[in-house]
Amino acid sequence: MEYYLVKWKGWPDSTNTWEPLQNLKCPLLLQQFSNDKHNYLSQVNKGKAISLKDNNKALKPAVAEYIVKKAKQRVALQRWQDELNRRKNHKGMIFVENTVDLEGPPSDFYYINEYKPAPGISLVNEATFGCSCTDCFFEKCCPAEAGVLLAYNKNQQIKIPPGTPIYECNSRCQCGPDCPNRIVQKGTQYSLCIFRTSNGCGWGVKTLVKIKRMSFVMEYVGEVITSEEAERRGQLYDNKGITYLFDLDYESDEFTVDAARYGNVSHFVNHSCDPNLQVFNVFIDNLDTRLPRIALFSTRTINAGEELTFDYQMKGSGDISSDSVDHSPAKKRVRTVCKCGAVTCRGYLN
């Protein structure tokens, strides 16, 4: 007869008991146990003509250790997922998935919904004026006051070329929350999944629903630091082979967004030389041109289950239309090999 060693929830290990299958009323746990065992044996026996059927009387210690680690990882990722959804302030749900390895939640990452200014940096988040439109599509609205076109069509899709700023209605405007010129400020509307990639790129983000082309997907947020501080941190990040620095150089080069420790879902979005997301500068309540908000829009229809990516140099589909606008992350000193796998891959991230 098969027996299972059971750890009873809320009780110490000294009270663990061996139970026959008929005593176990936990089909999900048993299925996870079986799947984890099968996955481990599949990895170990990869390329070998060995049956996965385990005829031993007991599990080998390595198999048991893997199953326990996988169970603990599953609990940790579920707790992290719950925490992310408690902290986020947008409609779209956040899911977490790792079917690749035993990596758990990042230990030094804090979820935020908007820019976090570093000490000494002031973010003035209050507009001094707003529109009085009854219909922002047909009247002289905030974009017109700024000398640009309204960014969206009636299907909430962006219609301006990359490199053109977006001016949305703000807290001083008399139009309501259903105004067609309030898109980025409503946050992510899609359910997204932070998942462990199988190509060595660490964590990535995929959409769980279909996203229409030219639609707002998410903001890139993090800690706002000076460019001098970004240069210092950049050298540290280079040594680790990571980069989360994004220059806010729409009109000047004073500030950088660092999403290494503080960020949202965009922290986990990977680079691609052929991306499906494009960066736009956005101004809402803060009209300081040195501090635009960074929004990511889809460049094409993105199907459910597809990974979301953007070009860290912004040279992919949808080239920057103005030489004066450079959205690229802070310049790095060590060349990082690109693993995006695109036909047009440049070979390096920088």
Side-chain angles (χ1 to χ4, degrees):
M1 182 182 291
E2 273 191 341
Y3 283 86
Y4 293 79
L5 181 62
V6 177
K7 166 72 172 72
W8 295 95
K9 188 175 181 180
W11 292 83
D13 289 344
S14 59
T15 63
N16 290 359
T17 59
W18 288 94
E19 302 289 341
L21 185 61
Q22 64 263 29
N23 286 5
L24 303 182
K25 311 300 180 186
C26 47
L28 178 60
L29 282 176
L30 286 169
Q31 186 61 52
Q32 289 173 341
F33 176 91
S34 177
N35 290 343
D36 292 342
K37 175 185 171 184
H38 182 273
N39 290 338
Y40 179 81
L41 293 174
S42 297
Q43 294 170 19
V44 171
N45 298 327
K46 198 171 185 179
K48 300 177 183 178
I50 300 175
S51 172
L52 295 178
K53 187 175 181 180
D54 189 355
N55 293 317
N56 295 331
K57 291 182 179 180
L59 284 180
K60 293 180 179 178
V63 183
E65 181 183 7
Y66 173 84
I67 291 173
V68 171
K69 286 182 178 179
K70 198 66 183 174
K72 289 181 177 180
Q73 177 204 50
R74 192 176 288 114
V75 171
L77 291 179
Q78 181 63 51
R79 287 175 178 167
W80 185 41
Q81 177 179 298
D82 294 342
E83 179 189 355
L84 294 176
N85 283 290
R86 282 195 303 269
R87 292 183 177 276
K88 59 96 173 169
N89 65 357
H90 50 75
K91 177 182 176 182
M93 295 295 292
I94 303 172
F95 295 86
V96 179
E97 173 186 284
N98 186 351
T99 61
V100 174
D101 55 30
L102 292 170
E103 186 73 17
S107 59
D108 194 25
F109 174 74
Y110 306 93
Y111 195 94
I112 57 175
N113 293 292
E114 57 188 22
Y115 284 161
K116 175 183 173 63
I121 295 178
S122 174
L123 300 181
V124 180
N125 285 316
E126 184 177 353
T128 55
F129 61 89
C131 73
S132 56
C133 305
T134 55
D135 189 335
C136 294
F137 261 128
F138 300 105
E139 299 178 52
K140 190 175 183 181
C141 192
C142 301
E145 293 289 346
V148 297
L149 295 173
L150 192 145
Y152 312 114
N153 62 25
K154 290 194 175 183
N155 294 321
Q156 300 184 345
Q157 295 167 297
I158 195 162
K159 63 180 184 181
I160 58 175
T164 307
I166 299 171
Y167 279 83
E168 289 196 359
C169 291
N170 57 58
S171 56
R172 295 253 177 179
C173 295
Q174 296 182 24
C175 55
D178 296 328
C179 168
N181 194 33
R182 297 181 186 272
I183 302 296
V184 172
Q185 60 195 265
K186 291 183 178 179
T188 299
Q189 302 294 298
Y190 306 101
S191 290
L192 306 175
C193 180
I194 301 170
F195 75 106
R196 197 70 176 168
T197 64
S198 58
N199 61 354
C201 290
W203 295 102
V205 179
K206 62 183 176 182
T207 177
L208 299 180
V209 295
K210 184 177 180 179
I211 300 176
K212 294 187 301 183
R213 63 186 297 272
M214 312 308 285
S215 297
F216 170 67
V217 179
M218 69 180 78
E219 271 193 81
Y220 191 94
V221 302
E223 185 182 9
V224 178
I225 58 177
T226 63
S227 294
E228 290 77 12
E229 174 65 11
E231 193 67 24
R232 186 189 71 80
R233 294 187 187 185
Q235 295 182 28
L236 299 176
Y237 296 157
D238 286 346
N239 294 330
K240 298 178 181 179
I242 61 173
T243 176
Y244 295 103
L245 299 174
F246 206 114
D247 290 343
L248 297 180
D249 49 9
Y250 170 62
E251 277 197 354
S252 63
D253 195 16
E254 293 183 46
F255 301 110
T256 295
V257 176
D258 181 4
R261 293 187 69 205
Y262 301 94
N264 62 2
V265 175
S266 64
H267 166 98
F268 302 97
V269 176
N270 282 317
H271 161 86
S272 175
C273 298
D274 184 22
N276 51 26
L277 299 179
Q278 171 69 54
V279 167
F280 283 84
N281 292 290
V282 186
F283 299 95
I284 306 175
D285 279 304
N286 189 344
L287 301 178
D288 187 342
T289 54
R290 300 174 303 165
L291 294 163
R293 291 164 68 164
I294 303 300
L296 297 170
F297 286 77
S298 58
T299 60
R300 57 173 174 78
T301 298
I302 306 175
N303 295 316
E306 192 173 345
E307 182 175 3
L308 301 174
T309 58
F310 73 95
D311 190 334
Y312 288 2
Q313 294 188 44
M314 284 298 107
K315 292 180 181 177
S317 55
D319 291 334
I320 299 302
S321 59
S322 170
D323 293 336
S324 65
V325 183
D326 178 13
H327 301 289
S328 62
K331 295 178 177 62
K332 297 171 283 294
R333 289 142 293 274
V334 179
R335 300 210 77 182
T336 304
V337 175
C338 180
K339 301 177 182 178
C340 75
V343 176
T344 55
C345 181
R346 297 187 296 269
Y348 294 92
L349 295 183
N350 51 340

